[in-house]
Amino acid sequence: MADGRADGRSDGRSDGTGGTANQREIEAGIQRDFSQSLSYGDYLRLDVLLSAQQPLSDPPQHDELLFIVQHQTSELWLKLLLHELRSARALLRTDDLSPALKRMARVKHIQHTLTDQWSVLATLTPSEYAEIRPFLATSSGFQSAQYREVEFLLGNKNAEMVKVFAHDDTTRAALDELLHEPSLYDEFLAYLSRQGYAVPQRLLERDWTLPHTADEELIDVFASVYAAPAEHWGVYETCEELVDIEDSFQQWRFRHLQVVQRVIGHKIGTGGSSGVDFLRRALSLTFFPELYEVRTRIGQ
């Protein structure tokens, strides 16, 4: 019987499913006592993670937390991205192509998440950003060591970038190590060579500290793959996975540029760069040039 409330519901009475109306009973088997057991918060170290947001604005500005969380979560995704790229590179080195492709597939999903995150930061208006910008001082996303590690792993090597981290011996050493190692693409080319593809020897013994540049003979190799996909399916699929990764990376770059232009216009960046113009020049960089050049030949 109804209790006379306007919504017709009865307070605290059974809803016929073992619980009260609009309430779910906690099942008897659910763990409640964590005095001697590992909890969700303990496993994820949430005490550390959620205490890492320390706004500097004084007086406090509402939108600074958004700016901090946006960039901290990006760094977490970059950490996972590096984990997957390193694994894919190592798997190619041992000719384990199938699991390497699995890693690359996950990389693309991480990239999509990173790109989608820009839509949250885009809610920051120029007026709101102006309130927190002074507290950023000279800090800038340009100084993200993990982002540079991703670029180095994908082949965009630049020794000058290592100098940005001269103040941090550990970070500088890690980036310098990647600078001198083969990239993911370099390992793919070495894999192709071991499988009998005519990869020019000069590409297998080059200076790893330099970015890879387009090679006509390598375009010929990929042209033969794309001319008969069924005969080269694993390699063909890997080529397309790499193109997907680069395409996703360029989408991230472009969305970054759009958000910066929307929020600060053409101001100089906090780290001293030209801002939008600097970001726009990055769109001309490519990791896997032959995989784009070969498309001109397909069907000719």
Side-chain angles (χ1 to χ4, degrees), residues 68-85:
I68 292 172
V69 169
Q70 169 87 25
H71 290 84
Q72 286 184 341
T73 53
S74 293
E75 290 295 329
L76 286 173
W77 285 119
L78 287 172
K79 183 173 184 175
L80 182 57
L81 196 63
L82 286 167
H83 178 66
E84 301 298 338
L85 286 173

Side-chain angles (χ1 to χ4, degrees), residues 150-210:
V150 169
E151 284 204 318
F152 280 18
L153 270 168
L154 291 177
N156 184 18
K157 302 291 187 71
N158 186 341
E160 289 298 308
M161 281 307 312
V162 179
K163 298 177 183 178
V164 175
F165 304 95
H167 64 287
D168 183 336
D169 289 342
T170 301
T171 299
R172 180 200 54 75
L175 198 56
D176 188 64
E177 182 177 1
L178 277 177
L179 179 70
H180 289 84
E181 293 177 349
S183 69
L184 178 69
Y185 194 49
D186 291 322
E187 289 294 357
F188 177 49
L189 299 185
Y191 167 83
L192 290 179
S193 178
R194 291 192 298 273
Q195 303 306 309
Y197 291 86
V199 176
Q201 191 65 26
R202 61 181 171 275
L203 299 181
L204 306 174
E205 299 174 346
R206 69 184 191 85
D207 182 353
W208 307 126
T209 67
L210 301 176

Side-chain angles (χ1 to χ4, degrees), residues 260-284:
V260 170
Q261 185 168 344
R262 173 176 177 151
V263 175
I264 71 169
H266 288 269
K267 292 185 182 72
I268 297 297
T270 50
S273 76
S274 57
V276 167
D277 291 337
F278 181 76
L279 295 175
R280 183 173 288 115
R281 289 196 294 275
L283 295 175
S284 65

Side-chain angles (χ1 to χ4, degrees), residues 44-61:
L44 295 178
R45 297 296 306 278
L46 293 183
D47 56 335
V48 176
L49 183 65
L50 298 181
S51 65
Q53 296 74 48
Q54 300 288 333
L56 298 179
S57 55
D58 186 17
Q61 298 298 317

Side-chain angles (χ1 to χ4, degrees), residues 23-127:
Q23 185 181 69
R24 181 178 62 175
E25 291 282 341
I26 298 179
E27 296 174 351
I30 291 178
Q31 182 78 23
R32 291 177 173 84
D33 182 3
F34 295 98
S35 57
Q36 303 295 324
S37 303
L38 182 69
S39 72
Y40 173 82
D42 293 337
Y43 176 71
L44 295 178
R45 297 296 306 278
L46 293 183
D47 56 335
V48 176
L49 183 65
L50 298 181
S51 65
Q53 296 74 48
Q54 300 288 333
L56 298 179
S57 55
D58 186 17
Q61 298 298 317
H62 174 81
D63 295 298
E64 190 177 3
L65 184 61
L66 160 63
F67 194 86
I68 292 172
V69 169
Q70 169 87 25
H71 290 84
Q72 286 184 341
T73 53
S74 293
E75 290 295 329
L76 286 173
W77 285 119
L78 287 172
K79 183 173 184 175
L80 182 57
L81 196 63
L82 286 167
H83 178 66
E84 301 298 338
L85 286 173
R86 287 178 183 276
S87 178
R89 185 180 63 165
L91 288 164
L92 285 175
R93 191 177 297 138
T94 55
D95 297 337
D96 294 318
L97 186 61
S98 293
L101 288 171
K102 170 65 176 178
R103 304 294 190 268
M104 293 183 206
R106 183 175 292 164
V107 162
K108 292 188 298 182
H109 286 290
I110 299 168
Q111 289 177 300
H112 294 162
T113 298
L114 280 164
T115 300
D116 287 345
Q117 281 193 186
W118 287 120
S119 63
V120 183
L121 195 63
T123 64
L124 193 65
T125 69
S127 300

